[in-house]
PDB file of all heavy atoms in Angstrom:
ATOM      1  N   HIS A 291       5.760   8.604  11.424  1.00 93.00           N
ATOM      2  CA  HIS A 291       7.172   8.294  11.164  1.00 93.00           C
ATOM      3  C   HIS A 291       7.326   7.809   9.729  1.00 93.00           C
ATOM      4  O   HIS A 291       6.430   7.170   9.173  1.00 93.00           O
ATOM      5  CB  HIS A 291       7.689   7.217  12.128  1.00 93.00           C
ATOM      6  CG  HIS A 291       7.731   7.642  13.566  1.00 93.00           C
ATOM      7  ND1 HIS A 291       8.648   8.553  14.036  1.00 93.00           N
ATOM      8  CD2 HIS A 291       6.988   7.270  14.633  1.00 93.00           C
ATOM      9  CE1 HIS A 291       8.472   8.732  15.328  1.00 93.00           C
ATOM     10  NE2 HIS A 291       7.459   7.969  15.720  1.00 93.00           N
ATOM     11  N   VAL A 292       8.477   8.075   9.139  1.00 95.00           N
ATOM     12  CA  VAL A 292       8.747   7.605   7.784  1.00 95.00           C
ATOM     13  C   VAL A 292       9.820   6.512   7.857  1.00 95.00           C
ATOM     14  O   VAL A 292      10.926   6.724   8.351  1.00 95.00           O
ATOM     15  CB  VAL A 292       9.171   8.775   6.863  1.00 95.00           C
ATOM     16  CG1 VAL A 292      10.387   9.531   7.369  1.00 95.00           C
ATOM     17  CG2 VAL A 292       9.401   8.275   5.440  1.00 95.00           C
ATOM     18  N   TYR A 293       9.437   5.323   7.411  1.00 97.00           N
ATOM     19  CA  TYR A 293      10.320   4.161   7.373  1.00 97.00           C
ATOM     20  C   TYR A 293      10.773   3.951   5.928  1.00 97.00           C
ATOM     21  O   TYR A 293       9.943   3.919   5.010  1.00 97.00           O
ATOM     22  CB  TYR A 293       9.606   2.914   7.872  1.00 97.00           C
ATOM     23  CG  TYR A 293       9.324   2.903   9.367  1.00 97.00           C
ATOM     24  CD1 TYR A 293       8.261   3.619   9.898  1.00 97.00           C
ATOM     25  CD2 TYR A 293      10.142   2.170  10.226  1.00 97.00           C
ATOM     26  CE1 TYR A 293       8.001   3.607  11.266  1.00 97.00           C
ATOM     27  CE2 TYR A 293       9.894   2.146  11.592  1.00 97.00           C
ATOM     28  CZ  TYR A 293       8.815   2.871  12.114  1.00 97.00           C
ATOM     29  OH  TYR A 293       8.577   2.852  13.464  1.00 97.00           O
ATOM     30  N   THR A 294      12.059   3.766   5.727  1.00 97.00           N
ATOM     31  CA  THR A 294      12.616   3.608   4.386  1.00 97.00           C
ATOM     32  C   THR A 294      13.368   2.289   4.279  1.00 97.00           C
ATOM     33  O   THR A 294      13.898   1.789   5.269  1.00 97.00           O
ATOM     34  CB  THR A 294      13.567   4.761   4.031  1.00 97.00           C
ATOM     35  OG1 THR A 294      14.651   4.798   5.000  1.00 97.00           O
ATOM     36  CG2 THR A 294      12.839   6.100   4.053  1.00 97.00           C
ATOM     37  N   ASP A 295      13.395   1.723   3.073  1.00 97.00           N
ATOM     38  CA  ASP A 295      14.286   0.588   2.788  1.00 97.00           C
ATOM     39  C   ASP A 295      15.131   0.925   1.584  1.00 97.00           C
ATOM     40  O   ASP A 295      14.719   1.645   0.674  1.00 97.00           O
ATOM     41  CB  ASP A 295      13.489  -0.703   2.580  1.00 97.00           C
ATOM     42  CG  ASP A 295      12.698  -0.701   1.272  1.00 97.00           C
ATOM     43  OD1 ASP A 295      11.636  -0.059   1.215  1.00 97.00           O
ATOM     44  OD2 ASP A 295      13.143  -1.375   0.332  1.00 97.00           O
ATOM     45  N   PHE A 296      16.364   0.423   1.592  1.00 97.00           N
ATOM     46  CA  PHE A 296      17.347   0.746   0.566  1.00 97.00           C
ATOM     47  C   PHE A 296      18.251  -0.453   0.371  1.00 97.00           C
ATOM     48  O   PHE A 296      18.559  -1.175   1.335  1.00 97.00           O
ATOM     49  CB  PHE A 296      18.195   1.963   0.993  1.00 97.00           C
ATOM     50  CG  PHE A 296      19.336   2.281   0.074  1.00 97.00           C
ATOM     51  CD1 PHE A 296      19.139   3.068  -1.045  1.00 97.00           C
ATOM     52  CD2 PHE A 296      20.606   1.777   0.338  1.00 97.00           C
ATOM     53  CE1 PHE A 296      20.201   3.364  -1.888  1.00 97.00           C
ATOM     54  CE2 PHE A 296      21.673   2.059  -0.511  1.00 97.00           C
ATOM     55  CZ  PHE A 296      21.469   2.859  -1.626  1.00 97.00           C
ATOM     56  N   SER A 297      18.681  -0.685  -0.851  1.00 95.00           N
ATOM     57  CA  SER A 297      19.661  -1.749  -1.115  1.00 95.00           C
ATOM     58  C   SER A 297      20.687  -1.244  -2.126  1.00 95.00           C
ATOM     59  O   SER A 297      20.356  -0.505  -3.041  1.00 95.00           O
ATOM     60  CB  SER A 297      18.965  -3.008  -1.641  1.00 95.00           C
ATOM     61  OG  SER A 297      18.206  -2.719  -2.800  1.00 95.00           O
ATOM     62  N   ASP A 298      21.931  -1.652  -1.895  1.00 93.00           N
ATOM     63  CA  ASP A 298      23.029  -1.237  -2.772  1.00 93.00           C
ATOM     64  C   ASP A 298      23.519  -2.373  -3.650  1.00 93.00           C
ATOM     65  O   ASP A 298      24.563  -2.271  -4.295  1.00 93.00           O
ATOM     66  CB  ASP A 298      24.210  -0.703  -1.944  1.00 93.00           C
ATOM     67  CG  ASP A 298      24.764  -1.743  -0.972  1.00 93.00           C
ATOM     68  OD1 ASP A 298      24.310  -2.914  -0.995  1.00 93.00           O
ATOM     69  OD2 ASP A 298      25.669  -1.394  -0.186  1.00 93.00           O
ATOM     70  N   GLY A 299      22.764  -3.465  -3.735  1.00 92.00           N
ATOM     71  CA  GLY A 299      23.162  -4.622  -4.517  1.00 92.00           C
ATOM     72  C   GLY A 299      23.654  -5.761  -3.653  1.00 92.00           C
ATOM     73  O   GLY A 299      23.639  -6.913  -4.081  1.00 92.00           O
ATOM     74  N   LYS A 300      24.081  -5.467  -2.432  1.00 93.00           N
ATOM     75  CA  LYS A 300      24.589  -6.491  -1.525  1.00 93.00           C
ATOM     76  C   LYS A 300      23.902  -6.452  -0.172  1.00 93.00           C
ATOM     77  O   LYS A 300      23.773  -7.490   0.490  1.00 93.00           O
ATOM     78  CB  LYS A 300      26.100  -6.321  -1.321  1.00 93.00           C
ATOM     79  CG  LYS A 300      26.915  -6.487  -2.591  1.00 93.00           C
ATOM     80  CD  LYS A 300      28.411  -6.312  -2.300  1.00 93.00           C
ATOM     81  CE  LYS A 300      29.247  -6.462  -3.572  1.00 93.00           C
ATOM     82  NZ  LYS A 300      30.692  -6.262  -3.293  1.00 93.00           N
ATOM     83  N   THR A 301      23.478  -5.285   0.272  1.00 95.00           N
ATOM     84  CA  THR A 301      22.947  -5.105   1.619  1.00 95.00           C
ATOM     85  C   THR A 301      21.633  -4.347   1.564  1.00 95.00           C
ATOM     86  O   THR A 301      21.451  -3.471   0.724  1.00 95.00           O
ATOM     87  CB  THR A 301      23.957  -4.309   2.492  1.00 95.00           C
ATOM     88  OG1 THR A 301      25.227  -4.967   2.460  1.00 95.00           O
ATOM     89  CG2 THR A 301      23.480  -4.200   3.932  1.00 95.00           C
TER      90      THR A 301
END
Side-chain angles (χ1 to χ4, degrees):
H291 294 289
V292 57
Y293 289 79
T294 59
D295 70 283
F296 173 86
S297 57
D298 60 5
K300 298 180 180 179
T301 305

